[in-house]
Amino acid sequence: MRKSSGISSVQPFDMALCGIASICAVYATSLSLSSTNNGIFFGIITAAGTIASFLLSRATRWVKFEQLDAVFYTVLALTAFFATTLLIQLVPEDVYPGQLAVAGTLSWMVALTSFAVWRDQTILFQAVPGIAMFGLVGCYDTFKYAIGFFFVFLLCQATLLARAHGRAMLVQAQVASSRGRASGGFEVGGEADPAVLKQTAWRWMAGPEWAFGSGLAVVLVSVVGAPAIQESAKSIAGIVHYAVPLPQQTGPSVAA
């Protein structure tokens, strides 16, 4: 069975958004551990993987192979999880001792799974390890530009989600249209032409530009609102008192 290659399939712009979001995640994580070399290393692998996924999705003509992306994604993710110790030896700088090993695991997970993202399902799932990585970066709080990378990540993922939703809605409209034609007009059909849909049923539906605008609004509110909240909190910071519990003595004290 041949796969469709129309507007309902993943476009180069979607792959670019996925790659940019993933690179922001791995680069910010490495920079939070003061390792620029690792950031460049993982960024290059992630970019190469995203390009390879796009070329592979366009090279194959069969739906059954295209649907194997979830299997490949799972295998690569499990490889990054169970082979972390071996994979860490390949990075330029080993900055993942002890509890920091999870940052290396997630970095390898995003880098490896970028080779298996050629459908909306796997492209959108890349946001899961990405969000987890930015959660770690927020806990470390050592990279002051991490908030900027997170905002870019957020804008890319919001736009991807809106575009994927639009493609899913288009597929449903095309299926309804074909059923309407097959029933000879006795069944209510949909519309296969996106231009007609945007002028009629989808006229007031929010598109990717609204997702981008919403994400940008969150960025602006955070940039402007966070300092204002911080300044307003300083006036009451001295009123709130917290008593730190002292450890109890287990034995009698000996006077000197």
Side-chain angles (χ1 to χ4, degrees), residues 1 23 38 93 119 186 201 211:
M1 181 179 179
I23 290 173
N38 285 6
E93 299 173 356
R119 284 196 308 161
F186 294 102

Side-chain angles (χ1 to χ4, degrees), residues 12 14 18 20 36 43 52 55 59 71 112 125 127 132 135 153 180 211-212 217 236-237 251:
D14 302 296
C18 178
I20 293 173
T36 305
L55 295 177
V71 177
L112 292 180
F125 194 80
F153 173 86
F212 182 84
I236 62 173

Side-chain angles (χ1 to χ4, degrees), residues 168-193 197 202:
M169 294 289 291
L170 179 59
V171 170
Q172 294 180 6
Q174 291 173 341
V175 171
S177 177
S178 61
R179 288 178 179 176
R181 290 194 302 267
S183 62
F186 294 102
E187 182 177 335
V188 177
E191 175 58 55
D193 189 356
L197 286 170
W202 290 3

Side-chain angles (χ1 to χ4, degrees), residues 84 104 143 156 224:
T84 299
F143 180 44
C156 291
V224 177

